[in-house]
């Protein structure tokens, strides 16, 4: 029998959470953790993180000779979670001395301690579910993810929903990796190096009717503006709708304020929700649904789910 979330994850107060993570103390102090985030710094940060991906993929292929190619992409994702944790463990100065079995998480504005891998799978499944929900309402033949990183979401969407899924990312290693997986597995995926802030990324959809998605990618740009929506909506082949799974700032609960402080001290995006409200006021987009702070596999950087369509 499956455990209920209440037993799998143990509730903690903000004060008690400090024993499991350095973030409560940093949020309380409110001191900037890093600043001056820009596209060049983000590119350098993710380039160094993704460098190991191609090697890990080759090792994965070598160690799973009997696995059908169709399952190779999905099974690699689990290995990627472990690779990610090794990278986290290498940087206690950022993440603290964390234990994957007892990490600080959040669900709908409450803090919990629980297993990081379980929370990560729930978060990844939320992405697939959000695309499936969008498909019940909108007609599209492809998904485009901006800031696709390791291709985690496009691999999941292509495998689980059978939808061609394309990505764009500022890190060149991201596109190299996704295209290698496509070549080795035959999955209908692909990626290009793009800057979603300054470039027209609608070409990624290859002329299909498409859904735009972003998953913790817009968070990387401290400021987003109305012009971004104008450009996306005004392009020759605009998306039929968009789903953002991002830390979107809204509401005034104590936890919502702690999330704003987290974004500020990390120099993450703080104004996407305002830019979106402007776009809605200008009649460019219509917000269809918004579920705030559903799950935080990083507690104070929780994923909200928001869908808009062209008005
Ligand atoms: C936190 S990661 C998320 C990756 C992926 N969406 C996922 O869910 O695993 C953020 C990604 O956004 C990419 N990124 C940040 N700024 C970008 C930009 N201006 N244009 C394109 N990609 C960008 C980074 O390179 C990185 O891969």
């Amino acid at each position: 029998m499956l455990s209920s979330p209440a037993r799998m994850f143990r509730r903690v107060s903000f004060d008690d959470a400090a024993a499991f993570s350095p973030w409560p103390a940093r949020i309380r102090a409110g001191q900037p953790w890093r600043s001056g985030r820009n596209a060049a710094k983000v590119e350098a940060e993710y380039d160094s993180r993704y460098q190991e991906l191609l090697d890990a993929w080759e090792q994965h292929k070598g160690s799973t000779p009997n696995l059908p190619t169709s399952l190779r992409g999905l099974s690699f994702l689990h290995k990627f979670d472990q690779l990610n944790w090794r990278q986290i463990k290498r940087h206690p100065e950022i993440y603290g001395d964390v234990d994957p079995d007892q990490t600080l998480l959040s669900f709908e504005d409450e803090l919990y301690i629980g297993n990081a891998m379980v929370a990560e799978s729930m978060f990844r499944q939320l992405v697939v579910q959000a695309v499936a929900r969008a498909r019940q309402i909108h007609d599209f033949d492809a998904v485009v993810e901006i800031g696709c990183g390791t291709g985690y979401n496009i691999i999941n969407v292509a495998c689980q929903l059978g939808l061609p899924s394309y990505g764009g990312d500022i890190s060149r290693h991201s596109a190299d990796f996704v295209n290698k997986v496509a070549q080795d597995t035959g999955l209908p995926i692909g990626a290009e190096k793009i800057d979603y802030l300054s470039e027209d990324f609608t070409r990624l959809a290859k002329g299909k009717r498409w859904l735009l998605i972003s998953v913790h990618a817009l968070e990387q740009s401290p400021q987003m503006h109305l012009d971004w929506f104008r450009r996306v909506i005004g392009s020759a082949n605009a998306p039929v709708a968009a789903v953002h799974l991002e830390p979107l700032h809204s509401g005034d609960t104590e936890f919502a304020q702690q999330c704003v402080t987290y974004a500020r001290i990390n120099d993450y995006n703080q104004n996407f929700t305002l830019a979106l409200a402007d776009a809605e006021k200008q009649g460019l987009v219509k917000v269809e649904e918004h579920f705030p702070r559903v799950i935080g596999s990083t507690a104070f950087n929780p994923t909200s789910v928001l869908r808009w369509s062209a008005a």
Side-chain angles (χ1 to χ4, degrees):
M1 209 176 78
L2 287 174
S3 314
S4 72
R7 272 178 282 150
M8 277 178 70
F9 302 109
R10 176 163 57 84
R11 276 273 298 276
V12 279
S13 67
F14 184 79
D15 288 341
D16 291 347
F20 299 89
S21 160
W23 288 109
R26 289 174 187 156
I27 287 170
R28 187 159 275 148
Q31 294 302 322
W33 177 247
R34 52 181 160 189
S35 59
R37 216 166 163 67
N38 58 36
K41 282 189 184 170
V42 171
E43 183 175 349
E45 179 184 331
Y46 281 96
D47 260 355
S48 74
R49 269 206 214 179
Y50 296 155
Q51 221 158 15
E52 295 175 49
L53 277 172
L54 275 173
D55 283 350
W57 174 249
E58 290 304 326
Q59 276 172 19
H60 177 61
K61 280 196 305 180
S63 65
T64 54
N66 300 321
L67 202 64
T69 34
S70 55
L71 289 178
R72 280 241 168 83
L74 277 181
S75 58
F76 178 75
L77 298 179
H78 176 65
K79 284 200 179 146
F80 172 75
D81 283 339
Q82 290 161 350
L83 183 75
N84 206 22
W85 261 92
R86 280 205 296 280
Q87 289 183 339
I88 288 173
K89 293 291 272 180
R90 261 184 247 147
H91 294 286
E93 74 290 0
I94 302 175
Y95 305 103
D97 183 17
V98 278
D99 170 0
D101 282 328
Q102 299 213 56
T103 51
L104 183 61
L105 310 163
S106 65
F107 295 98
E108 297 185 337
D109 288 20
E110 301 286 357
L111 293 170
Y112 290 81
I113 300 300
N115 184 289
M117 306 294 178
V118 174
E120 188 66 17
S121 320
M122 290 168 78
F123 154 62
R124 293 301 178 179
Q125 213 44 41
L126 187 66
V127 178
V128 178
Q129 193 199 27
V131 174
R133 277 174 71 81
R135 214 173 181 207
Q136 288 170 356
I137 294 164
H138 296 285
D139 180 23
F140 52 87
D141 321 309
V143 171
V144 170
E145 181 183 4
I146 48 172
C148 66
T150 59
Y152 212 121
N153 308 305
I154 55 180
I155 293 174
N156 258 340
V157 168
C159 288
Q160 295 189 45
L161 302 181
L163 273 167
S165 304
Y166 309 115
D169 198 283
I170 203 159
S171 164
R172 66 201 147 94
H173 297 306
S174 158
D176 290 349
F177 173 69
V178 170
N179 292 328
K180 180 76 178 131
V181 175
Q183 190 190 342
D184 290 350
T185 62
L187 279 173
I189 57 173
E192 285 183 37
K193 178 172 163 42
I194 54 119
D195 179 345
Y196 65 64
L197 278 180
S198 60
E199 282 177 56
D200 178 0
F201 48 79
T202 58
R203 68 172 187 276
L204 295 174
K206 304 181 196 306
K208 296 187 162 75
R209 285 175 66 79
W210 60 293
L211 176 77
L212 167 66
I213 69 169
S214 75
V215 184
H216 285 257
L218 303 182
E219 71 171 27
Q220 301 288 320
S221 300
Q223 301 295 323
M224 303 270 314
H225 301 287
L226 178 62
D227 278 357
W228 186 82
F229 287 95
R230 282 219 173 91
R231 216 184 62 224
V232 176
I233 297 290
S235 60
N237 179 24
V240 296
V243 179
H244 301 290
L245 293 108
E246 299 277 349
L248 303 174
H249 299 293
S250 68
D252 59 1
T253 63
E254 199 180 356
F255 183 70
Q257 292 310 313
Q258 288 160 355
C259 295
V260 171
T261 305
Y262 180 95
R264 182 174 55 74
I265 66 180
N266 279 288
D267 209 14
Y268 279 170
N269 183 272
Q270 293 143 64
N271 78 335
F272 182 77
T273 324
L274 294 176
L276 177 75
D278 276 354
E280 198 168 25
K281 243 186 266 157
Q282 299 282 322
L284 293 172
V285 303
K286 180 170 163 306
V287 173
E288 295 182 336
E289 61 179 28
H290 180 189
F291 301 108
R293 299 177 291 277
V294 180
I295 178 168
S297 52
T298 300
F300 298 102
N301 199 35
T303 310
S304 297
V305 184
L306 186 144
R307 189 178 69 237
W308 56 259
S309 57

